[in-house]
Structure formats: C-alpha cells, structure tokens
Amino acid sequence: MSDSATFSQRVLARLLRPSTLAFFREGRASGVAWGELLHGYIYARWPYLYIGVATGRRKWAAVLLSPLLLLLLRHRPLKPGKTGRPGFADSYHGKALPLEEATRLVTVNRSVELRDLEQVIPYALARDIVLKNPERIALLDCPCRAMSENPCLPMDVCLIVGEPFASFILEHNPERSRAITPEEAVRILKEEDARGHVHHAFFKDAMLGRFYAICNCCSCCCGAMRAQAHGIPMLCSSGYLCRVDADACVGCGQCLKSCQFKALRVRDGVCAVNVKRCMGCGVCVGHCAKSALSLEPAPEKGAPLEIRKILENA
C-alpha cells in the first residue's frame, strides 16, 4: 500500500465515525461502487429526510433536490418499462413475512451468507441475505410514520438487523433509536402483528445490496405500501396465500379490518380471498376468532423466505 493511500485512510479515520468507516469498508470489500455507498450513507444517515422526499411529504426538499431526483429516475425508472433496465422497485423492496418467519429472522444467532436468492426475492437487484452479528439489532422510529400527519403508534417499530447497519443507525440517529435484544425484537413483532401490521423484510441496493431491516407496515403510513397501491411493485408475496375453511367461517367480517391489502371480502356469508391482492402476510389468520383462515404455500407467488430451511439446504 502506498504512503498516500495510508495517509488517506488515516485522514478518513479521523474525519468519519467508526460505524461510517465500517459501512464503507464492508461495501468496498463486497465490491459495491462508491456511488452506491454514498447513496447508502445518505439514506441511513438522514432516513427521515430521505423518506420524506421519496413520499412527497417534504416538498421543499424535493424541489431543492429535483435535479438529483430526475437523474436517479432516469437511472431507475419508477415503473418497469420496455428498456429492460431495472426499475426503482428492483433497488428497494420488501418481502412479506408471516410472524413465525419474521421471528426466526431476528433469532438466527449465527452468521449467514446467502447470495442471489432469486426464487425467494424476485427482483433484479438487492436479493442477498448476509447477516453479521445478527444479535445486534437497532430499534428505529419508523421514518414513514414519522413523516405522516396522523401516524399509527407506537413509532419505534423498525428493526435494523446485523452489522454494519445497526451500529450505523445507533451512532447517527441516537435520539430516534436504541439497541435491543433479539427477545425484545420478537416481542415487538408480536405486538405489531396483534395491531394488524404487516412484517416486511426490506432489501436495498445502496445498503450493500442486501437485507437490512424488518419493517412493521401499515397501509396508511407506509411509503412502500402506498407505492404498491399505485402500481409500483415494491413488495412481493410471502410465498403463501390465505385459504378459507368455508365450514368454519361465519362471515363476521372481522378479518377484513386486519387486511392491509384489501384482499378479503365477505360474499354469500363466507370470507373470500382476492388471490391477486393477497400477499400471504398471515395477519388475518391471527385475527380470525373461528380459526377459519390459514396460510398455504402458493408456488405461483414465489418461494417463502424460510430462513432455517434455506440454511439447511445451502
């Protein structure tokens, strides 16, 4: 290594926080381009401003950054076109998780390196699961809820899993985050499930092209769910579908209130599932007093993110 390179590294070490250095080192070791690393730094350093601009809730910032936004949209169009280029959703997306699989993802307790999970994460980019120190979890105030005028509560429901992401969030957003144990993460997942909120494992190209967080989403606040409703395919199915036991269903309609994707309705006194809308999140299953709903594998919807089975078969 040259003296100039050594000097540059010493200067960076003095100027940057430890978690920032760890993020850049991890990215460079993984072959991530400097432009994507800078994007990831901005995204994780100022998540509330970033999400506010992306969702249109920080109009003044969107106006100031409009030249940059137009450049990004030319590189990653919002909706897939005929050019064959990856769209915006390919670079930032979530996969629905039933509660059981979400809890397993925060209790892996071992390092994981799973690359190019195309069958599980059906996007052109950002489909790796690389967990380093997965017991290191940061609980972050949800940026989408924070940007909403009348947000769902509680605010602290986003789980940032593993390194270098958890330490980065904790060091740069100390007033809005705290370190928690895997056991606390499981409790939060269960509480959010009881509130009718959907668990999504999120992936982003600028976050080293891999899984980094589990968000507990509601359709009224979540930017990704709102984008999905407007035809931008940012979310993919869990790989399951809700099935109805017609003999057990009494047509009470309580499950409809818990479905964030409006995939359920009562028809002829029995709950019916809109197969196209159902994401297989399983929230409705836990809200059916008659146990008339269940999740069944749906190969046409893709493979489930069953972390233990994937690791066994790796």
Side-chain angles (χ1 to χ4, degrees):
M1 183 179 295
S2 67
D3 291 340
S4 60
T6 304
F7 175 75
S8 298
Q9 289 188 355
R10 287 201 301 265
V11 171
L12 286 175
R14 287 180 175 275
L15 293 176
L16 301 180
R17 297 183 182 186
S19 63
T20 303
L21 284 172
F23 176 77
F24 281 112
R25 285 170 180 162
E26 178 82 10
R28 293 305 294 161
S30 301
V32 181
W34 279 110
E36 289 295 351
L37 286 175
L38 181 59
H39 180 184
Y41 173 82
I42 293 170
Y43 169 74
R45 176 64 181 84
W46 295 285
Y48 303 96
L49 177 62
Y50 187 104
I51 296 298
V53 170
T55 57
R57 291 163 178 162
R58 286 290 183 268
K59 292 184 173 64
W60 61 269
V63 171
L64 292 175
L65 297 173
S66 56
L68 179 59
L69 294 175
L70 289 173
L71 181 63
L72 290 173
L73 289 177
R74 287 189 65 183
H75 183 57
R76 293 273 186 268
L78 281 178
K79 295 184 180 181
K82 298 180 180 180
T83 62
R85 288 183 302 164
F88 175 73
D90 288 293
S91 65
Y92 175 42
H93 46 256
K95 183 175 179 70
L97 296 175
L99 176 61
E100 184 178 9
E101 295 305 330
T103 58
R104 286 175 176 169
L105 198 52
V106 297
T107 55
V108 174
N109 293 326
R110 54 170 283 193
S111 295
V112 172
E113 185 169 346
L114 299 168
R115 302 286 183 177
D116 202 25
L117 297 171
E118 182 177 359
Q119 299 302 313
V120 177
I121 313 297
Y123 293 92
L125 307 170
R127 54 193 187 193
D128 296 344
I129 297 179
V130 180
L131 290 175
K132 295 186 177 182
N133 303 111
E135 72 284 350
R136 177 75 161 162
I137 301 174
L139 181 65
L140 177 70
D141 286 358
C142 173
C144 291
R145 294 186 189 182
M147 292 298 102
S148 298
E149 291 183 5
N150 297 295
C152 294
L153 297 175
M155 197 73 72
D156 52 343
V157 294
C158 287
L159 305 173
I160 313 300
V161 184
E163 298 291 21
F165 311 118
S167 289
F168 190 101
I169 289 296
L170 291 167
E171 191 166 24
H172 290 86
N173 298 277
E175 71 287 354
R176 288 183 175 270
S177 65
R178 62 184 176 89
I180 62 171
T181 64
E183 292 73 22
E184 288 178 283
V186 170
R187 174 182 59 78
I188 289 163
L189 288 169
K190 290 180 177 179
E191 290 174 351
E192 280 295 281
D193 195 82
R195 295 183 185 106
H197 297 156
V198 182
H199 321 295
H200 285 111
F202 268 89
F203 298 72
K204 187 170 177 62
D205 59 347
M207 296 299 273
L208 311 188
R210 64 202 202 200
F211 162 73
Y212 66 98
I214 296 180
C215 294
N216 296 289
C217 306
C218 52
S219 58
C220 47
C221 298
C222 177
M225 294 181 80
R226 292 163 69 92
Q228 185 85 4
H230 287 87
I232 302 172
M234 289 184 64
L235 304 173
C236 66
S237 166
S238 69
Y240 297 96
L241 271 176
C242 175
R243 303 296 186 190
V244 181
D245 181 345
D247 293 331
C249 180
V250 297
C252 66
Q254 287 300 309
C255 57
L256 277 63
K257 300 176 183 178
S258 67
C259 182
Q260 299 286 344
F261 299 101
K262 299 181 179 179
L264 303 178
R265 63 173 177 167
V266 175
R267 186 171 59 194
D268 298 327
V270 178
C271 179
V273 181
N274 183 319
V275 173
K276 291 184 178 180
R277 288 187 176 183
C278 178
M279 299 294 281
C281 66
V283 172
C284 60
V285 174
H287 286 76
C288 178
K290 299 298 181 180
S291 300
L293 305 180
S294 62
L295 289 181
E296 293 184 4
E300 70 277 13
K301 291 276 192 174
L305 202 172
E306 299 174 305
I307 189 66
R308 291 182 183 176
K309 288 185 179 181
I310 294 173
L311 288 172
E312 289 171 0
N313 295 328

